[in-house]
Amino acid sequence: MSEHEHDESTRPAVSRPRTAPEEPSPAGLRRELPAEVPAAEPAPAATPSGEDAVREPAGPEETGRQRLVKGLWPPRITRAQLIVALLLFGLGFGLAVQVASNSDGDSALRGARQEDLVRILDELDDRTERLEDEKQGLEKQRDELENSSDQAEEARKQTIEKERQLGVLAGTVAAQGPGITMNIEDPKGTVEADMLLDAVQELRAAGAEAIQVNGVRVVASTYLTDSGSGIAVDGNKITAPYRFKVIGKPQDLEPALNIPGGVVQTLEKEQATVSVERSSKIVVDALRAVKRPDYARSSSQ
């Protein structure tokens, strides 16, 4: 080693003097920012057993449609929603049945012949005329009571006449007058009690004032039931042929039975034979015993 090299090796190292940081120049140079330090990753959470949890790879992100389908299915139905659904179903079913029944009635009239429609209109006009006559009769009775000099005697006469009329309706007195007779032959035994009941109701609606079926007087409380090979009227068994004797206006009674879809057509569909005849004199002589009511009393007593 030379002497020069020895001197340099033994010479103490002299550090470079620190210089003051340079101030930004007037030109507005940017100050250098320190380098970004990466954030430290969070330590994995410890499992209850003290072992490191194993991270599962994240699945594919769900789309909006998949989230909607998952929210709608399977449905989560509460009790209130189920009750509301049942009520709505019942309401819809009832409306559907009502619309169907109205459509059937409209289609029956739509398919009727012109003469059948004219007959139905005539029957409605006759019913209106009959109600108007009854109204005029009641008004006449009122005027007679108001204008009569002996109101007590007039009231007594009207009471007797009213009693006779009520006796005819109640079946306690015999009656005669114009009307019709209807014979129903039932060789197949297909006629049932409800069919005869429909006939009775149709005749009453057409203005029948007295009805007799096979010797049994029909009144407001009459009921019909099936009884073996026949039909029972108020407990009295009758068999075919069924013979109706009806007092009323023949021009109203006969068309009421022969309207499209009415009593006659219904019985003929059951292979029964029906004949209706008008008559100027029909005698209804079957009587009902007067039954004293158990509880009802006249309010005038």
Side-chain angles (χ1 to χ4, degrees):
M1 178 183 299
S2 64
E3 184 179 353
H4 181 69
E5 293 176 351
H6 177 73
D7 291 340
E8 289 180 354
S9 62
T10 58
R11 185 181 300 171
V14 180
S15 60
R16 297 180 60 182
R18 295 183 178 180
T19 59
E22 297 181 359
E23 295 180 358
S25 62
L29 297 178
R30 292 185 303 172
R31 179 179 298 175
E32 294 183 2
L33 298 176
E36 295 182 357
V37 180
E41 296 183 359
T47 59
S49 59
E51 299 177 358
D52 294 340
V54 179
R55 291 186 178 180
E56 296 182 356
E61 185 177 357
E62 294 182 348
T63 63
R65 180 177 296 180
Q66 292 175 342
R67 289 196 297 270
L68 178 61
V69 172
K70 184 180 293 185
L72 295 177
W73 190 264
R76 299 176 180 85
I77 302 176
T78 63
R79 183 177 181 181
Q81 292 174 342
L82 181 60
I83 294 175
V84 172
L86 292 175
L87 292 176
L88 292 176
F89 174 78
L91 178 61
F93 181 77
L95 291 175
V97 172
Q98 183 68 25
V99 170
S101 62
N102 292 338
S103 300
D104 294 340
D106 295 340
S107 61
L109 292 177
R110 192 179 298 111
R113 298 176 300 175
Q114 182 176 1
E115 52 268 25
D116 294 333
L117 294 176
V118 173
R119 184 183 303 172
I120 293 174
L121 292 176
D122 291 341
E123 181 183 354
L124 293 176
D125 292 339
D126 292 338
R127 290 183 182 181
T128 303
E129 183 179 355
R130 185 171 62 254
L131 292 175
E132 186 65 27
D133 292 341
E134 183 177 355
K135 175 185 174 183
Q136 292 178 0
L138 293 175
E139 291 176 349
K140 182 179 179 181
Q141 292 179 4
R142 182 196 61 188
D143 295 338
E144 289 176 352
L145 286 173
E146 292 177 351
N147 300 327
S148 176
S149 58
D150 190 353
Q151 294 185 355
E153 180 63 21
E154 185 64 29
R156 187 184 66 82
K157 292 180 180 180
Q158 292 189 9
T159 301
I160 295 174
E161 182 63 26
K162 195 68 175 180
E163 182 180 0
R164 292 174 181 173
Q165 295 176 1
L166 293 177
V168 172
L169 298 178
T172 57
V173 297
Q176 67 178 14
I180 64 170
T181 58
M182 179 174 64
N183 293 319
I184 303 175
E185 299 285 345
D186 184 24
K188 302 290 185 179
T190 56
V191 176
E192 298 179 351
D194 58 341
M195 301 177 187
L196 297 187
L197 179 60
D198 291 340
V200 171
Q201 292 177 341
E202 193 66 42
L203 290 170
R204 283 174 173 171
E209 297 176 351
I211 304 175
Q212 178 177 318
V213 182
N214 287 32
V216 180
R217 189 71 169 266
V218 176
V219 295
S221 60
T222 295
Y223 62 93
L224 291 87
T225 57
D226 294 318
S227 178
S229 59
I231 296 174
V233 181
D234 290 337
N236 302 304
K237 186 175 180 180
I238 61 176
T239 57
Y242 305 107
R243 180 179 176 86
F244 282 71
K245 299 171 67 176
V246 186
I247 296 178
K249 189 176 181 180
Q251 294 82 355
D252 294 340
L253 299 176
E254 183 183 3
L257 298 173
N258 289 307
I259 60 174
V263 175
V264 173
Q265 287 191 0
T266 301
L267 292 171
E268 289 178 348
K269 287 181 180 179
E270 299 296 331
Q271 300 181 354
T273 303
V274 184
S275 62
V276 181
E277 296 180 0
R278 299 185 185 185
S279 177
S280 59
K281 183 179 180 181
I282 299 292
V283 177
V284 175
D285 52 5
L287 302 180
R288 300 292 295 263
V290 179
K291 182 180 179 181
R292 181 180 179 83
D294 296 329
Y295 305 101
R297 295 292 183 270
S298 174
S299 60
S300 60
Q301 292 180 358

